[in-house]
Amino acid sequence: MPLPPPYQDLLAEILIPEDTLQKRIGELGAQISRDYTGQDLLLICILRGGVMFLTDLIRAIETPHSIDFMAVSSYGAGARQTSGQVRINMDLSIDIAGRHVLLVEDIVDSGNTIASVLKLLQSRGPASLRVCTLLDKPAARQTPVPIDYTGFTIESKFVFGYGLDLDEYYRNLPFIGVVDLEKYQPPK
Ligand code: IMP
Ligand code: MG
């Protein structure tokens, strides 16, 4: 596999710098800590995009909680579009029946992914089920989804960094950047 070009060549602009991200994640952590005081909270991270957000978010949550992971992918989806259906590539390792569940996502775009995951998890009988997403692109919504905690509402631009990938690369960047679509063509 050829290596991707340096990210600087694919970056149109930094949309959310590192300090802004971290400050907002601190606020979300404080809010979640207040809301779940006295409740046995379980955060479920949707792999792989949500992993950076999860690890920073839980360090900002002061109440006791556990974490688990789930990996999903959309059928027939390229980098910029999703189909309606979601496949579970890796399921949770624990039973969520009776638990207070908070789903942690990197971005809600069409809403199809989170809608499918919510439907599946709801069928397993959690005590409560809420959604926390770092980024929300409401203009791209196809399926309405309830979002309880939002880091940032953004325009429908193709972004990368801080967990979000460009063909699986550059999830490690500490900021959210906008892809320069004149220099990068997402796979169809
Ligand atoms: P949805 O099903 O359309 O809401 O898509 C959600 C998933 O698509 C996210 O979890 C991301 O993995 C991916 N995605 C959506 N928009 C972007 C983007 O701008 N950059 C990178 N990945 C994205
Ligand atoms: Mg994702």
Side-chain angles (χ1 to χ4, degrees):
M1 277 268 287
L3 284 172
Y7 79 83
Q8 290 89 343
D9 294 354
L10 306 171
L11 180 70
E13 56 164 330
I14 293 182
L15 186 66
I16 311 173
E18 183 175 5
D19 55 348
T20 310
L21 275 175
Q22 293 301 331
K23 181 166 175 284
R24 181 71 187 124
I25 292 166
E27 292 169 358
L28 287 172
Q31 195 186 341
I32 291 166
S33 304
R34 283 194 299 274
D35 293 352
Y36 286 92
T37 297
Q39 293 183 341
D40 187 18
L41 172 63
L42 171 65
L43 292 103
I44 294 178
C45 174
I46 304 188
L47 296 174
R48 293 177 288 270
V51 78
M52 295 270 274
F53 178 39
L54 177 88
T55 56
D56 282 336
L57 181 66
I58 61 176
R59 280 178 279 193
I61 297 177
E62 291 168 2
T63 49
H65 58 271
S66 343
I67 61 172
D68 201 1
F69 298 90
M70 182 173 210
V72 302
S73 57
S74 307
Y75 284 106
R80 275 192 297 172
Q81 78 279 353
T82 53
S83 61
Q85 286 176 303
V86 162
R87 177 176 51 208
I88 308 290
N89 295 327
M90 188 192 83
D91 207 337
L92 300 171
S93 59
I94 60 170
D95 182 8
I96 62 164
R99 303 292 305 267
H100 291 286
V101 173
L102 181 59
L103 262 187
V104 177
E105 251 287 36
D106 53 352
I107 186 164
V108 179
D109 192 22
S110 71
N112 294 334
T113 305
I114 204 81
S116 301
V117 172
L118 281 173
K119 200 171 155 197
L120 174 74
L121 296 183
Q122 197 65 60
S123 73
R124 298 181 181 176
S128 68
L129 182 57
R130 289 187 185 154
V131 175
C132 176
T133 187
L134 179 66
L135 305 174
D136 181 16
K137 284 193 211 175
R141 200 74 85 245
Q142 294 170 9
T143 310
V145 280
I147 301 177
D148 302 281
Y149 304 94
T150 303
F152 301 88
T153 300
I154 63 169
E155 287 175 43
S156 282
K157 290 177 175 170
F158 187 39
V159 292
F160 73 121
Y162 198 76
L164 295 115
D165 70 302
L166 256 190
D167 292 346
E168 293 303 327
Y169 291 96
Y170 299 129
R171 294 185 193 274
N172 58 307
L173 299 175
F175 54 80
I176 300 283
V178 177
V179 180
D180 186 339
L181 290 172
E182 283 177 6
K183 300 192 183 126
Y184 170 81
Q185 282 305 312
K188 291 285 176 308

